[in-house]
Amino acid sequence: MAKTSTSTQGLRAAIERSGYYPALVAEAVEAAIGGDSIRSYLVHQETTFDANEVRRHVTVLVLTGNRFIVSHTDEQAEDTTSPTPYATTSTESVKLGRISSVVVSRVVANPESYTPGTLPREVVLTIGWGAVSRIDLEPAACGDPNCEADHGYTGNSTADDLSLRVSEAGDGPETVRQALVFAQALSEATADVTR
């Protein structure tokens, strides 16, 4: 089985290395883990630009023996509800049996000369467990360009619980490697549950 460092101390060190409110993030994640042992984890800190503001966000993914834990922490500027900046942190605990899909998309430069084992330049990890779905609808039409009848709607429903993108340029090769290791561990764990 693929593994990253699987100790609470290793997870705490990764959270501290992210530099993003480590005491707050670690406390929330450790409370969600409880007494479970850690099989694998991934810590991803992301900076985004929103108009004139720089916003930071950290996502921590943890795989235990029977659960998948997701933690998100965001910072907010002062607003009408708070005269000072604040952070919001949330955790979700999902039983492994509820995970319906683990999708790993890899972006590889120069695929004609790809060597097995070479890190992709980007990885997108998408995990679905049925908590959030997105429905894209559009008016249905028939083949007659002069038809004015109402044909209702057509569309798709897509599981959209979690999508996390890491890149070698933005996050470094170690984060890309850890994303692949975590994805493999989660994939194997969900396969074990269905056997």
Side-chain angles (χ1 to χ4, degrees):
M1 171 177 283
K3 293 187 180 187
T4 59
S5 175
T6 55
S7 70
T8 302
Q9 292 82 15
L11 174 58
R12 183 176 274 276
I15 290 170
E16 288 173 2
R17 272 192 308 277
S18 80
Y20 185 81
Y21 306 122
L24 173 66
V25 173
E27 180 180 56
V29 171
E30 289 168 2
I33 293 169
D36 288 1
S37 61
I38 298 170
R39 291 171 69 174
S40 187
Y41 61 82
L42 175 64
V43 177
H44 181 248
Q45 195 263 322
E46 181 178 26
T47 302
T48 58
F49 301 94
D50 182 20
N52 296 329
E53 294 183 39
V54 176
R55 294 184 183 260
R56 296 182 303 158
H57 172 88
V58 70
T59 301
V60 180
L61 308 179
V62 179
L63 174 63
T64 71
N66 59 1
R67 295 183 300 145
F68 166 62
I69 297 166
V70 182
S71 174
H72 295 287
T73 304
D74 293 292
E75 64 184 359
Q76 306 293 326
E78 64 266 0
D79 58 22
T80 57
T81 64
S82 176
T84 60
Y86 60 97
T88 304
T89 188
S90 63
T91 57
E92 181 174 1
S93 177
V94 180
K95 288 184 177 183
L96 287 178
R98 289 204 43 222
I99 295 178
S100 56
S101 65
V102 177
V103 180
V104 181
S105 300
R106 302 166 191 238
V107 177
V108 176
N110 303 314
E112 69 282 354
S113 60
Y114 175 77
T115 304
T118 302
L119 280 180
R121 88 180 171 202
E122 178 178 310
V123 171
V124 178
L125 173 60
T126 306
I127 304 165
W129 61 91
V132 178
S133 293
R134 183 180 70 238
I135 298 176
D136 295 320
L137 295 175
E138 61 184 42
C142 67
D144 180 358
N146 298 317
C147 180
E148 295 180 11
D150 181 356
H151 294 285
Y153 289 88
T154 185
N156 344 338
S157 175
T158 309
D160 200 18
D161 295 312
L162 175 76
S163 188
L164 186 85
R165 177 186 169 270
V166 296
S167 69
E168 186 176 30
D171 304 297
E174 187 52 36
T175 303
V176 172
R177 185 175 290 104
Q178 281 212 268
L180 291 171
V181 168
F182 182 84
Q184 182 176 346
L186 182 61
S187 232
E188 290 172 357
T190 57
D192 289 345
V193 169
T194 60
R195 287 185 190 156

